[in-house]
Amino acid sequence: MKRFTNLFLELDRTTKTNDKVALLKAYFLSAPDEDKIWALALFTGRRPPRKIKTTQVQEWAIEQANIPMWLFRESYGSVGDLAETISLILPVNTSTSEKTLSEWFAYFTQLNKATDEEKKQLILEAWKQLSTYETFVFNKLLMGSFRIGVSQTLVVRAIGEVSDMTSAVVAHRVMGQWDPYHSSYKELIYGENTGDTTSKPYPFYLAYGLEGGLESLGQPEDWFAEWKWDGIRSQVIVRNNELYIWSRGEELVTEKFPELESLRTQLPSGTVLDGEIVCFENDRPLPFNILQTRIGRKNITKKILTEAPVAFIGYDVMEYEGQDVRQKPQEERRKILEDLFEQTEIKGAFKISPLLTFDGWDELRNLHLQSREQAAEGFMIKRKQAQYLTGRKKGDWWKWKVDPLSIDAVLVYAQKGSGRRAELYTDYTFAVWEKDKLIPFAKAYSGLTDAEIREVDRYIKQNTIEKFGPVRTVKPQLVFEIGFEGINESSRHKSGIAVRFPRILNWRKDKKLEEADTLDNLKSILKAYK
Amino acid sequence: MKRNELLSFTASSIYCPSADIHIDPWKPVERAIITHAHSDHAKWGCQHYLAHKDSEPILRMRLGSDISLQTLEYGESFTINGVNFSLHPAGHIIGSSQVRVEQQGEIWVASGDYKLQDDLFCPPFEAIKCHTFITESTFGLPIYKWKPQQEIIDEIKVWALQNKLQGKNSILMGYALGKMQRLIKNLQPFDQPVFAHGAIYNVNEQLRTAGFDLPYIPPVNNASKSDFQGALIFATGSVLNTPWLKRFEPYSTGYCSGWMAIRGAKNRKSIDRGFVLSDHADWDELNTAIDATGAEKVYVTHGYTDTFSRWLNERGVESAEVKTMYGEEEEAATETTES
């Protein structure tokens, strides 16, 4: 555990990519294989589900620290992280433990069948053996969302460098269905055909936002353009007459979309497609939040299937006739995709993302204005010679999103952030006018500079009308321009409206309180874009 | 009718009406007792100052060499109008004192800032029995628990040595007065060349001239870029994100403060390493100190005043928070003196 704790702390200390990779390399070179598989699982979001109630853990810690609940809350308020707060208030230990990361996970399995009292004993026993920092990491593993400032890409790069493989190969190997209880590091990283390779997806190629104008891309003839669909990026795999659908978040979502079951028989075995799952109504794509309502559901009911049927819009092919075709140019892959599409009979659940025809960049710019009417987020622009790359790479694939919708709204509630910003008020609720009342309609976190955050924080602390738990009601005065990607009706919100991806675009210091937008303004945007 | 309190909290100081004398006033007054030379406790403009003799060099440097200043030894006392005053070690920085005030058997102690851990540079804190104790609570939450000083010193030494091996300079930051002398004293012998930021150099030299046992640390400004190879540079927090640091590239930054106990606080500062080293009492020390005074009543002047005061009340120690100007702008005020 010491080794992993040190890795965690040192990764947390540095913001430099090269330093992080160096730390990861050192870890993967020196840690035992049994630990490495766990580290890898944690870095790739495969932490086993929590076996314990956070409130209980908190209760036991308070009891050990011998402090009242309110004082714990004050402490938590200052630290901003539960696992860390607990590690800090517990009595300081003198004994230590030599248990490794994997041994601690084995220890966790005892929690599965334990009674509450036994669980408590197990946790207290562990705390007694761990230093403050180890306790912090232990708590994170035990209950928190284990997050660390390291992307999967960096971990893949580090493993690639220590094991002499390309990042693309490692990225592919660590994908798919595996869990650290049943897989070994050797098999996963070095094994060619071990475990379940039938379901294994390829790493997605991700695009950067277009930075310069279209002209910066060179000749229009070298490029494809298509709509950027607003759904769930997915990979459809048909191998051995089985169907697997993976989301970009590396979730296996096959069961969630029974409409797509027909792809299993319609596509030839040995086919892997990249595309977007989108809800449709009479051949017209529906907004993302319709799709959202069914992602969260455990059971897919008839009602959902009729109200929000999905289709898979294919736009690329990674494997054809059992062969990895990612090295072939975009143009050729597109041809294969079109052939595959021609061969299928069902045209409802499987669509193909149409290529836009345009004559010069000006024409494409005009088309872009129609994005919202097409229920698209903008364009994807792909070089005809592009290979299918791994991860987010610049150069061959670009996304060009439409400008967000926006509205001027008033800051009405504030709450402290967490982690890095635990002492500052960074989570805001915004409202618009309805007659002489302010109706809250969106929460937003990001978009301000650190200096602005401090300024707003000071305003909030000096202008609090009321405290309600962690939430402060603020004297309405500050006006912000709030951008968002989509807008829909919502019965769950007081405003009757839900916006998607709200964020602060600008602090409108030039606007007076009365000049903020009204609920009617929001409703007219809803009408225009629904 | 309630008689006058021995000490009262006014809009400008902690005030003793019977003796007409102020403790750590933040506005100019006629007569002031200064607990220690940090700028939030030692303000400019009073007609007469009184402090411990170890505070003299810095008070004269900061407030003017011509101030009217009377100094005392620890334990030495004087009486004004029936009120007896004496100074006792607070263990916070060099010269830092608790002010003991006694009138007709009633005893109050104003402690200024203090810590219990012996930092091996300034005389350690001594608990003084009193009826009323005036305390700080800068780190008055149970999340603050300091490790033994030597552990932190070892962490710093390892960090600086690793930097040296990687060809980097180490920029070690903290308050110019107090923290830096504590570090310098405890880090020696040094494993690499050392230099000091001008503000720290000035404080050091002032203290060395007055006879304190500190090694000579050359100022950064007299050195050239080629001198900075794997060096350890003592600097103030004000240099963060300024071009002053440029000459030391490549470098790693370390910051010494009790606030570094919290990851979020460290990350907000965009520094490479945080070292949890404070000249204030941690949670356990605050409670230990208060218990040791045997005080029936405790006033909390700065820090987590409301929280700590509530905690004391729930433990059966009558307590109230009072509003003062302490604990603010220490860093900004003391550390902008050099380019």
Side-chain angles (χ1 to χ4, degrees), chain A residues 12-13 70 84 89 420, chain B residues 145 263 268 273 314:
Chain A
D12 192 48
R13 275 174 198 148
W70 68 265
E84 190 180 355
I89 61 159
R420 202 170 80 90
Chain B
K145 291 181 193 142
R263 284 164 65 240
R268 266 198 297 282
R273 275 296 290 273
E314 289 189 7

Side-chain angles (χ1 to χ4, degrees), chain A residues 8-9 12-14 16 19 66-68 70-71 74-75 78-79 81 84-85 88-92 133 136 140 419-424, chain B residues 140-145 147 155 162 168 251 260-268 271-274 276 283 304 306-308 310-311 314:
Chain A
F8 186 100
L9 291 176
D12 192 48
R13 275 174 198 148
T14 179
K16 299 179 186 92
D19 289 353
N66 198 14
I67 56 171
W70 68 265
L71 187 52
E74 288 285 333
S75 301
S78 278
V79 178
D81 181 293
E84 190 180 355
T85 310
L88 292 170
I89 61 159
L90 286 171
V92 178
Y133 290 135
F136 165 58
K140 282 270 171 206
R420 202 170 80 90
R421 290 171 172 169
E423 285 283 346
L424 296 170
Chain B
L141 283 178
I143 49 178
Y144 295 107
K145 291 181 193 142
K147 288 190 199 164
E155 277 181 29
Q162 276 178 340
K168 287 186 202 166
Y251 61 81
M260 298 296 106
I262 311 298
R263 284 164 65 240
K266 188 240 124 187
N267 292 344
R268 266 198 297 282
I271 41 177
D272 299 320
R273 275 296 290 273
V276 190
W283 173 256
Y304 291 97
D306 53 344
T307 310
F308 193 59
R310 179 175 169 189
W311 160 255
E314 289 189 7

Side-chain angles (χ1 to χ4, degrees), chain B residues 82-325:
Chain B
V83 186
N84 183 271
F85 292 88
S86 57
L87 302 182
H88 304 269
H92 174 58
I93 62 165
I94 195 76
S96 68
S97 307
Q98 309 177 69
V99 184
R100 181 183 183 277
V101 186
E102 178 177 6
Q103 186 181 32
Q104 293 167 353
E106 187 183 352
I107 304 166
W108 287 49
V109 170
S111 58
D113 289 330
Y114 64 94
K115 70 170 175 291
L116 268 53
Q117 204 178 124
D118 185 354
D119 71 12
L120 306 180
F121 185 59
C122 69
F125 177 89
E126 277 175 24
I128 308 296
K129 289 281 175 209
C130 58
H131 301 97
T132 304
F133 186 62
I134 302 170
T135 186
E136 58 143 323
S137 65
T138 308
F139 292 103
L141 283 178
I143 49 178
Y144 295 107
K145 291 181 193 142
W146 311 148
K147 288 190 199 164
Q149 170 170 292
Q150 193 55 46
E151 279 187 39
I152 308 296
I153 293 292
D154 291 345
E155 277 181 29
I156 296 172
K157 284 182 100 72
V158 169
W159 165 76
L161 209 54
Q162 276 178 340
N163 292 336
K164 185 183 161 191
L165 293 174
Q166 293 169 12
K168 287 186 202 166
N169 291 302
S170 304
I171 316 288
L172 188 62
M173 292 175 287
Y175 290 165
L177 171 60
K179 190 67 58 65
M180 281 301 145
Q181 292 73 45
R182 180 183 181 185
L183 286 167
I184 289 165
K185 185 82 188 168
N186 286 284
L187 283 169
Q188 60 174 354
F190 301 111
D191 305 311
Q192 56 226 114
V194 286
F195 297 92
H197 178 274
I200 295 165
Y201 173 79
N202 290 342
V203 172
N204 285 353
E205 288 312 297
Q206 201 73 17
L207 290 172
R208 276 162 46 82
T209 308
F212 287 95
D213 177 23
L214 278 173
Y216 173 73
I217 312 285
V220 157
N221 283 0
N222 293 356
S224 64
K225 199 174 183 315
S226 59
D227 294 327
F228 306 128
Q229 288 186 8
L232 172 61
I233 291 104
F234 297 97
T236 61
S238 60
V239 305
L240 253 185
N241 309 320
T242 67
W244 187 86
L245 285 169
K246 238 187 134 47
R247 67 190 99 174
F248 304 112
E249 277 168 355
Y251 61 81
S252 171
T253 52
Y255 198 93
C256 297
S257 159
W259 302 112
M260 298 296 106
I262 311 298
R263 284 164 65 240
K266 188 240 124 187
N267 292 344
R268 266 198 297 282
K269 269 199 173 306
S270 68
I271 41 177
D272 299 320
R273 275 296 290 273
F275 298 105
V276 190
L277 191 74
S278 176
D279 285 322
H280 293 272
D282 70 3
W283 173 256
D284 291 335
E285 291 176 30
L286 286 171
N287 284 291
T288 306
I290 286 162
D291 288 347
T293 64
E296 298 149 8
K297 172 116 197 185
V298 174
Y299 288 103
V300 187
T301 53
H302 56 296
Y304 291 97
T305 51
D306 53 344
T307 310
F308 193 59
S309 183
R310 179 175 169 189
W311 160 255
L312 290 175
N313 278 314
E314 289 189 7
R315 282 178 66 214
V317 180
E318 190 189 342
S319 173
E321 50 175 321
V322 286
K323 212 171 170 54
T324 66
M325 300 293 280

